[in-house]
Amino acid sequence: MLHKFVIFETETGRITGTVTGSRRSVAHALPPGRAFMAGTADPAQHRVEHGRIVPIGLASKKSKERGLATRDARARRDRLLADSDWSQLPDAPVDRSAWQTYRAALRDVTEQPGFPQQINWPTKPGREESK
């Protein structure tokens, strides 16, 4: 049986198109980062939010707050990375491996399950004098 579906970006809820087909055929053809749901919508006027198709101008307060929290968390992460750039210089008197691990953990904070509301920020390694 054929149905009408909207295709949307899983991260943003932006509708990227509509399609008619079976659930199986639509699911099989989805590119990474996209999902689908039954229904019809105008991509210029609607988005998907919390599993529902909603008008773009009516984004929920919670969605806006999440956007601000995401922006702030990424800015903090970027500052911490910039503040630790020096640790990767060849003559930096530090445990380079520990700093690489710390910087990798900073880059991965956006992948944490509670991001952006609950972030387990990595601990900065202590400076060690070279011998």
Side-chain angles (χ1 to χ4, degrees):
M1 178 180 252
L2 299 180
H3 299 279
K4 292 184 179 185
F5 299 99
V6 295
I7 309 296
F8 62 96
E9 294 175 347
T10 55
E11 189 145 329
T12 64
R14 184 176 72 87
I15 296 174
T16 58
T18 58
V19 65
T20 300
S22 68
R23 283 191 178 277
R24 179 177 282 176
S25 67
V26 173
H28 182 70
L30 280 178
R34 303 278 165 80
F36 70 99
M37 64 183 294
T40 59
D42 179 351
Q45 297 182 15
H46 296 91
R47 58 179 269 131
V48 174
E49 188 174 298
H50 306 294
R52 294 180 301 148
I53 298 170
V54 298
I56 287 176
L58 299 179
S60 73
K61 181 179 178 184
K62 188 173 184 177
S63 179
K64 288 178 185 176
E65 289 172 356
R66 180 176 171 81
L68 292 174
T70 297
R71 182 198 66 198
D72 292 346
R74 288 179 190 271
R76 178 178 177 188
R77 185 256 336 250
D78 292 347
R79 278 192 312 276
L80 291 170
L81 281 168
D83 289 347
S84 66
D85 282 348
W86 64 270
S87 70
Q88 300 308 293
L89 295 172
D91 60 345
V94 296
D95 178 352
R96 193 170 180 152
S97 176
W99 280 92
Q100 286 172 339
T101 300
Y102 167 71
R103 290 168 57 83
L106 284 174
R107 287 188 293 272
D108 292 342
V109 296
T110 59
E111 304 302 319
Q112 292 180 12
F115 182 85
Q117 285 81 12
Q118 295 178 333
I119 301 172
N120 182 16
W121 291 99
T123 303
K124 187 186 299 187
R127 286 190 69 169
E128 298 177 7
E129 295 300 320
S130 60
K131 298 178 180 177

